[in-house]
Amino acid sequence: MSETLAVLMSKRRLKATLNGLTLSQLDSLSLIFQEVHQEIRSDELDIIRAREEHERKLQDAMSTLEKMGISKDELKDFLGMTGDAEQPKAKRQYKKRDPNAVKDNAVKSKSGVEYRYLNKHGDESSWYGLGRMPVPMRTAIFNGEKTLEDFVYQPQPELEGAV
């Protein structure tokens, strides 16, 4: 459809497309375009008239309400339309960062739990509960060999006075 519109909107392309038609065919095509144009114009004018009529009715209704002593605000309150939509949105409050805070480079999950397991190469690896569970852990849990709690890493407290 966009190709057809591109041809119709370009004088050069339209002329090239219609070049093989006879004058009687071009006259018929011109009449068809004029009829379609009139129909679309008529439809658009009907929509504009309907919108203007609706706005006129609203104006009449508002003037009648004002004569009765009812204001726009009272009408909004009655209909449950408080002025919330008209009020500007509050600015988002951001937490200020403490410049003296020490950054913790260790990656931890939301729960703060670290899981340790042996990968397929026999090396110890960590999983922090984010993303898919590693295959060695999933396999051991599925086979009933271990539970998830068995993989929880609990660092050993450092011994004071150790040499």
Side-chain angles (χ1 to χ4, degrees), residues 76-119:
K76 285 181 183 179
D77 290 340
F78 178 75
L79 295 174
M81 298 171 55
T82 57
D84 294 343
E86 296 174 7
Q87 294 177 354
K89 292 182 179 180
K91 289 188 176 181
R92 189 176 286 185
Q93 298 293 323
Y94 293 100
K95 292 181 183 177
K96 291 186 179 179
R97 295 179 187 222
D98 184 7
N100 299 324
V102 177
K103 290 185 178 181
D104 185 13
N105 291 334
V107 177
K108 293 195 177 181
S109 68
K110 291 180 182 177
S111 62
V113 178
E114 179 181 357
Y115 302 95
R116 296 272 174 109
Y117 64 96
L118 295 177
N119 63 21

Side-chain angles (χ1 to χ4, degrees), residues 6 16-17 21 23 34 43 48-49 52 54 63 66 70 73 85-86 92 110 137 143 154-155:
T17 303
L21 298 180
L23 285 178
Q34 288 175 359
D43 292 344
I48 291 170
R49 283 188 201 113
E52 288 173 352
H54 182 71
S63 64
E66 287 174 1
I70 300 172
D73 293 331
E86 296 174 7
R92 189 176 286 185
K110 291 180 182 177
M137 288 178 61
N143 292 337
Q154 297 181 1

Side-chain angles (χ1 to χ4, degrees), residues 12-150:
R12 180 185 57 80
R13 291 178 72 182
L14 183 61
K15 185 176 179 182
T17 303
L18 301 177
N19 195 19
L21 298 180
T22 64
L23 285 178
S24 63
Q25 290 173 330
L26 285 173
D27 290 338
S28 298
L29 190 58
S30 176
L31 289 175
I32 292 171
F33 269 108
Q34 288 175 359
E35 289 174 10
V36 170
H37 179 259
Q38 287 300 324
E39 289 176 12
I40 292 173
R41 178 181 286 244
S42 164
D43 292 344
E44 287 291 324
L45 289 175
D46 290 344
I47 291 170
I48 291 170
R49 283 188 201 113
R51 189 178 305 134
E52 288 173 352
E53 179 67 19
H54 182 71
E55 288 178 17
R56 188 189 58 76
K57 287 179 182 179
L58 286 174
Q59 292 296 330
D60 291 345
M62 284 308 301
S63 64
T64 304
L65 287 173
E66 287 174 1
K67 288 177 186 174
M68 297 162 88
I70 300 172
S71 69
K72 290 180 183 180
D73 293 331
E74 290 173 333
L75 183 61
K76 285 181 183 179
D77 290 340
F78 178 75
L79 295 174
M81 298 171 55
T82 57
D84 294 343
E86 296 174 7
Q87 294 177 354
K89 292 182 179 180
K91 289 188 176 181
R92 189 176 286 185
Q93 298 293 323
Y94 293 100
K95 292 181 183 177
K96 291 186 179 179
R97 295 179 187 222
D98 184 7
N100 299 324
V102 177
K103 290 185 178 181
D104 185 13
N105 291 334
V107 177
K108 293 195 177 181
S109 68
K110 291 180 182 177
S111 62
V113 178
E114 179 181 357
Y115 302 95
R116 296 272 174 109
Y117 64 96
L118 295 177
N119 63 21
K120 63 181 178 182
H121 303 294
D123 300 328
E124 189 174 62
S125 296
S126 299
W127 180 62
Y128 298 96
L130 299 173
R132 295 178 68 171
M133 184 182 291
V135 173
M137 288 178 61
R138 190 173 53 222
T139 305
I141 292 171
F142 182 74
N143 292 337
E145 299 167 4
K146 292 187 176 185
T147 63
L148 184 62
E149 289 76 26
D150 295 335

